[in-house]
Amino acid sequence: MYSIALALAGLFFRPAATALQKRAADFFDPALGGGSIFDNATFGGEPMNVIISGLSSPDVLTDDGVLNFVRAIGFSTECLGLHLGNPQSANLGDGDGLVNQTIGLREDFGSSALGTCLESAIGGNHLRVFRQNGPQADSGALFLAVSKEQPASKHHDIVPDGYNVGRDDLVSRAVGTKGFGGIFYDIQARNITGLMPAGSDGINHGIGVDGIVTLLTVTIQSTDGASS
């Protein structure tokens, strides 16, 4: 009787399910969780065509960390802290639904203090950062929507082939060893196909993409050359 009573108790007093734990992964495919590799822009989606791997050094994946990293490869915050245009949103399939971009960054032309003012005027490379950290897919990876823009006189529209061009420009700046603010990074790149469809269907301004997403793994180097 005692064993039967214990079995019945187990049916009615099961412990509550524990929350999903953070899992070590480069990233999770947003589509598997009902999301998309395209964000939501004014005239369609923009491709999140670069991903900073969740297996990068943890400090790189924080707000301050990614800002220092992008400064090491020639990007910085908006001109005088003024944001032009509305933030875009994305669903990374992590259970958080649509979430606004974490930050927008611009090419700084060699000056992290004022260079983005020049980009705002004459155009250049630009990126938006989205973080995959919801309860259903917490990789910590950063999804970047990268594009090359036209000048302010043309309303910062995307240049022809600007999504592929912007991605390739950022990656070419990044690969290797780069540093800013006394922190040095080792950056490895790998192209991924099958995550993003090629073509222009549903894409902002009807500008086509080649379907390639580049994965960056960013490792902070200590002063003795060891990784952390």
Side-chain angles (χ1 to χ4, degrees), residues 1-71:
M1 292 294 293
Y2 180 70
S3 60
I4 294 175
L6 285 178
L8 290 173
L11 291 175
F12 295 101
F13 298 100
R14 292 178 179 174
T18 57
L20 290 178
Q21 299 299 307
K22 185 177 181 69
R23 293 165 286 173
D26 284 318
F27 63 92
F28 297 110
D29 182 349
L32 298 179
S36 174
I37 196 65
F38 297 97
D39 71 9
N40 291 279
T42 306
F43 303 107
E46 294 199 342
M48 291 178 280
N49 46 14
V50 176
I51 300 174
I52 300 178
S53 169
L55 301 181
S56 300
S57 294
D59 285 350
V60 173
L61 303 175
T62 67
D63 288 356
D64 289 342
V66 69
L67 179 56
N68 196 81
F69 166 65
V70 297
R71 283 175 167 160

Side-chain angles (χ1 to χ4, degrees), residues 13 33 35 41 47 57 73 77 79 84 89-90 92 103 113 121 155 171-172 175 179 189 195 205 212 216 222 227:
F13 298 100
S57 294
I73 62 172
T77 52
C79 175
L84 301 176
S89 61
L92 296 180
I103 192 171
H155 312 290
V171 172
S172 68
V175 173
L195 188 64
H205 301 296
I212 295 173
L216 299 180
S222 66
S227 61

Side-chain angles (χ1 to χ4, degrees), residues 81-103:
L82 301 175
H83 177 67
L84 301 176
N86 295 322
Q88 293 180 9
S89 61
N91 181 349
L92 296 180
D94 59 3
D96 279 345
L98 282 174
V99 177
N100 281 349
Q101 65 195 51
T102 299
I103 192 171

Side-chain angles (χ1 to χ4, degrees), residues 158-184:
I158 309 301
V159 303
D161 200 31
Y163 298 120
N164 296 333
V165 169
R167 176 203 60 213
D168 291 346
D169 174 71
L170 182 146
V171 172
S172 68
R173 296 165 183 257
V175 173
T177 300
K178 303 294 163 63
F180 184 87
I183 301 175
F184 290 85

Side-chain angles (χ1 to χ4, degrees), residues 174-193:
V175 173
T177 300
K178 303 294 163 63
F180 184 87
I183 301 175
F184 290 85
Y185 307 93
D186 174 74
I187 304 126
Q188 304 292 325
R190 176 166 61 94
N191 286 341
I192 297 171
T193 58

